[in-house]
Amino acid sequence: MPPDPRPFGIYVHWPFCRSKCPYCDFNSHVREKIAADAWEAGLLADLKRQKARFEAAGLGTRAVSSIFFGGGTPSLMAPRTVAAVIETIAHLWPLTADCEITLEANPTSAEAENFAGYAAAGVNRLSIGVQALEKDALGFLGRTHDPEEARRAIGLAAKHFPRFSFDLIYARPNQSTAAWEAELKQALDLAVGHLSLYQLTIEPGTAFYGAHARGDFALPDDALAGDLYEATQALLSAAGLPAYEISNHARPGQESRHNLLYWRYGDYLGTGPGAHGRLTLDDGSPLGLKRATRAHKAPETWLAALERGEDGLTETESVALSDRLIELTMMGLRLTEGIPVARFWREIGQPPESTLDPTGLSRMIDGGFLTLTDTRIAATLAGRQRLNALLTQILPEDAA
């Protein structure tokens, strides 16, 4: 049977970090010792079990177009483990000729030394968690590297990988627009094709959440945060790296293909503790059966399940049409390109004007926050800046 032409990605979660950053709400854990061989065996076993579990519903005929090692800190993985995971995926599924294989890395010197090993293992894109290029800001963010280490890591990435990106966090306490523009200009001197620029948010369960609630620090007010966002868009666009998503900027052709898969509501399998997946399986219906998967979140629980001969999934359930509408809309409107009307037909079986709130649609279009044509719905720059508020206007009240 020929491969299914729809894009299909695989997300690999490595849950361990050397220390927990105070802003981070990801499934990441600090451990004194990690049994690397056991974790490698667990990842390989889970990939094989998930392939077998979903193969009868069509997953086995699909080609993998992207692999993403996220975390946690995947650059704590041995290059041989990364190579084993890539080799196993290539054995279980065909890879597309241009398969993008990304690994997230920290810029500490010890981890940067592994960059050559990751390239030899098959990684062809690196995403570096720089977060700031100012020493005091790195200290506030709980990062263990200094600006010079970050610059060295970026230089190594440019040497070993045909494509790379790095992250920065802005809207930090006491940050002015002028200071952020100066930092962005430093970043542009180092960047090649891609930058991810995230506004600092305070998430429940993080160290920053309690500190912010106590008044230990204050974030920029809404007006200044808006100025910082608009300055980011203007400076990056002028430099030839326009936003293709709310927080991501790239030269044409340098976009993260794996992340585009998420935002375009494509299919992906998730392996590793806490990893999520979305798989459209063939059940004979016109829209297919969309399945949501979630793995055990606690690392030791996940690994123990694999060692017992089970897969690592704690949950697999059908995604109702109302939830498909929410996910499709929330993810797709993050993109500058918006959502093709054809994607609504593929996922929901109806066009956007028949599924989204008509009053809210009209209000957002008239207000300059949204555009809708015969072929596409998209948020404007003003709409993307206020996306959460926009979504409350257009998603039907009974969608959830």
Side-chain angles (χ1 to χ4, degrees):
M1 184 179 296
D4 188 316
R6 290 172 297 173
F8 165 52
I10 295 181
Y11 174 76
V12 182
H13 189 76
W14 183 257
F16 302 116
C17 290
R18 286 199 173 125
S19 61
K20 183 79 172 179
C21 295
Y23 56 84
C24 177
D25 68 338
F26 294 162
N27 187 34
S28 59
H29 306 265
V30 178
R31 298 288 187 268
E32 288 187 11
K33 291 183 66 175
I34 299 170
D37 289 347
W39 282 95
E40 179 180 316
L43 288 169
L44 304 188
D46 190 51
L47 286 165
K48 293 170 186 175
R49 292 189 65 83
Q50 289 204 58
K51 166 71 179 295
R53 181 170 186 168
F54 297 114
E55 185 167 21
L59 186 62
T61 65
R62 301 182 68 172
V64 174
S65 59
S66 63
I67 302 168
F68 194 101
F69 291 85
T73 307
S75 54
L76 294 177
M77 300 173 74
R80 67 170 179 81
T81 298
V82 174
V85 170
I86 295 170
E87 289 168 5
T88 298
I89 292 171
H91 176 73
L92 295 171
W93 293 277
L95 304 186
T96 60
D98 61 347
C99 183
E100 176 188 271
I101 304 177
T102 302
L103 184 137
E104 291 183 332
N106 268 351
T108 57
S109 297
E111 290 157 23
E113 292 172 358
N114 285 327
F115 286 5
Y118 296 135
V123 174
N124 54 30
R125 183 177 182 273
L126 206 69
S127 178
I128 310 171
V130 171
Q131 314 309 7
L133 291 169
E134 303 294 335
K135 184 176 180 180
D136 289 346
L138 287 169
F140 169 74
L141 294 169
R143 306 299 284 163
T144 58
H145 60 274
D146 60 33
E148 187 52 39
E149 280 183 303
R151 291 183 175 89
R152 284 199 299 268
I154 293 168
L156 276 173
K159 177 180 178 182
H160 291 294
F161 299 95
R163 299 171 62 215
F164 71 90
S165 178
F166 59 92
D167 302 351
L168 295 177
I169 295 175
Y170 69 98
R172 307 185 299 254
N174 303 313
Q175 186 178 38
S176 68
T177 303
W180 174 231
E181 287 177 335
E183 191 171 357
L184 272 181
K185 289 174 183 176
Q186 293 182 55
L188 286 168
D189 288 338
L190 300 166
V192 175
H194 193 287
L195 277 173
S196 297
L197 306 168
Y198 300 103
Q199 184 169 322
L200 179 61
T201 56
I202 306 302
E203 303 294 345
T206 64
F208 270 177
Y209 188 79
H212 184 258
R214 292 191 301 269
D216 293 351
F217 65 88
L219 298 183
D221 60 25
D222 288 347
L224 178 53
D227 290 344
L228 291 166
Y229 177 81
E230 290 171 5
T232 302
Q233 309 312 304
L235 196 58
L236 270 290
S237 293
L241 281 81
Y244 68 98
E245 188 269 345
I246 287 176
S247 301
N248 287 271
H249 299 251
R251 299 190 190 283
Q254 293 296 309
E255 300 86 355
S256 167
R257 294 198 289 272
H258 186 84
N259 285 333
L260 280 174
L261 191 73
Y262 296 151
W263 296 318
R264 289 171 175 168
Y265 207 42
D267 285 358
Y268 60 97
L269 180 148
T271 184
H276 290 242
R278 287 291 184 278
L279 301 169
T280 307
L281 305 173
D282 183 8
D283 67 344
S285 65
L287 300 179
L289 176 67
K290 181 80 77 174
R291 298 291 286 179
T293 67
R294 179 166 54 192
H296 292 286
K297 189 173 183 180
E300 290 74 18
T301 301
W302 179 87
L303 184 58
L306 271 300
E307 291 176 337
R308 291 194 301 268
E310 305 169 6
D311 61 32
L313 300 181
T314 184
E315 183 177 298
T316 174
E317 61 184 7
S318 300
V319 183
L321 280 182
S322 58
D323 292 322
R324 288 169 80 158
L325 171 63
I326 293 171
E327 293 176 351
L328 166 69
T329 307
M330 289 179 65
M331 298 297 280
L333 289 184
R334 296 182 64 88
L335 290 166
T336 304
E337 70 184 20
I339 312 169
V341 169
R343 196 170 298 152
F344 276 84
W345 282 103
R346 185 190 75 196
E347 294 290 342
I348 315 300
Q350 299 181 66
E353 58 267 30
S354 299
T355 55
L356 299 173
D357 182 86
T359 303
L361 275 177
S362 295
R363 186 182 300 121
M364 293 298 98
I365 292 169
D366 292 344
F369 302 110
L370 198 66
T371 62
L372 176 62
T373 68
D374 291 342
T375 60
R376 190 171 300 272
I377 181 172
T380 63
L381 175 62
R384 292 193 301 278
Q385 190 175 354
R386 303 163 179 82
L387 185 59
N388 288 341
L390 184 156
L391 290 168
T392 64
Q393 295 292 314
I394 66 172
L395 288 171
E397 292 184 4
D398 60 350

